[in-house]
Amino acid sequence: TGGNPDETFFPWVRRELEKLGHRTSAPVLPSSDWPDREGWIQVVMEAYDPAQETILIGRSLGGTLIPYLLEHIQVKAAFSIAAPINHLGWDNLIDFFSREPDYSRARQHVQQYFHWYSDDDPHVPVEQGKAFQELLGGEFRLFHAYSHFYNQEFPELVEAVQKIIDLKV
């Protein structure tokens, strides 16, 4: 919400993954202040290549978008980082959450799911991540003092992605 792919850890993670020989994409999602779920889905779907093994990474509302995407596509893995499961009382998010994703279908379309949260996030409580994990399965990880993951570097994420690729799961 209000973000773009050139902030937080995304530029650094993309550079590190590309150094390792991986192709990355970080589309600009329209209307980031008043997010349009269907518009976001359309933009990501245009960047998605079904011929490639895909790992989705989304932070905040970008992480919330992932189950909606998984209604349409199959991926190797997904990382929802500090992702809210509801509108948190924010008026600009009410429309985004006007319907729940098909969690059962989403769960079937991902081989591995990771839910990463911080114990001091000022926006998204840890319980939101635990609720996502309950609905989608996967692995929950709690980071200490990572706030809303505004960090400029994120080696843990690069290591986790590389491990998934190396395991050829």
Side-chain angles (χ1 to χ4, degrees):
T1 308
N4 67 72
D6 294 323
E7 65 180 19
T8 68
F9 57 81
F10 283 109
W12 184 87
V13 167
R14 290 186 71 203
R15 278 191 306 274
E16 294 302 307
L17 290 172
E18 288 168 0
K19 283 183 202 173
L20 295 170
H22 308 302
R23 189 173 67 110
T24 69
S25 174
V28 175
L29 301 176
S31 309
S32 69
D33 289 332
W34 287 83
D36 171 20
R37 181 188 63 244
E38 296 306 315
W40 284 19
I41 290 170
Q42 181 179 351
V43 167
V44 174
M45 294 299 290
E46 288 171 5
Y48 173 72
D49 182 351
Q52 301 291 317
E53 287 190 330
T54 300
I55 297 173
L56 296 173
I57 300 169
R59 180 189 148 267
S60 197
L61 201 59
T64 302
L65 183 67
I66 291 174
Y68 293 101
L69 292 168
L70 293 174
E71 293 175 336
H72 308 282
I73 63 175
Q74 294 188 7
V75 300
K76 186 175 188 83
F79 289 82
S80 287
I81 301 168
I85 198 165
N86 60 42
H87 60 73
L88 300 168
W90 295 24
D91 290 342
N92 61 329
L93 300 183
I94 291 172
D95 286 346
F96 191 93
F97 288 96
S98 62
R99 76 163 178 87
E100 284 190 344
D102 182 339
Y103 290 112
S104 175
R105 184 172 176 85
R107 193 177 192 152
Q108 294 171 2
H109 286 176
V110 61
Q111 292 176 28
Q112 293 182 286
Y113 215 125
F114 301 88
H115 311 275
W116 288 6
Y117 290 76
S118 178
D119 60 5
D120 67 342
D121 191 322
H123 306 294
V124 181
V126 170
E127 293 75 30
Q128 300 257 323
K130 291 182 179 178
F132 258 137
Q133 181 193 26
E134 198 171 299
L135 291 164
L136 292 162
E139 183 180 308
F140 179 87
R141 181 170 176 188
L142 185 63
F143 289 78
H144 177 64
Y146 270 54
S147 183
H148 197 54
F149 294 84
Y150 297 116
N151 42 308
Q152 297 300 302
E153 296 182 4
F154 202 175
E156 299 93 337
L157 181 56
V158 172
E159 290 167 16
V161 169
Q162 187 61 45
K163 182 177 178 184
I164 291 165
I165 292 168
D166 288 347
L167 291 176
K168 303 203 183 303
V169 174

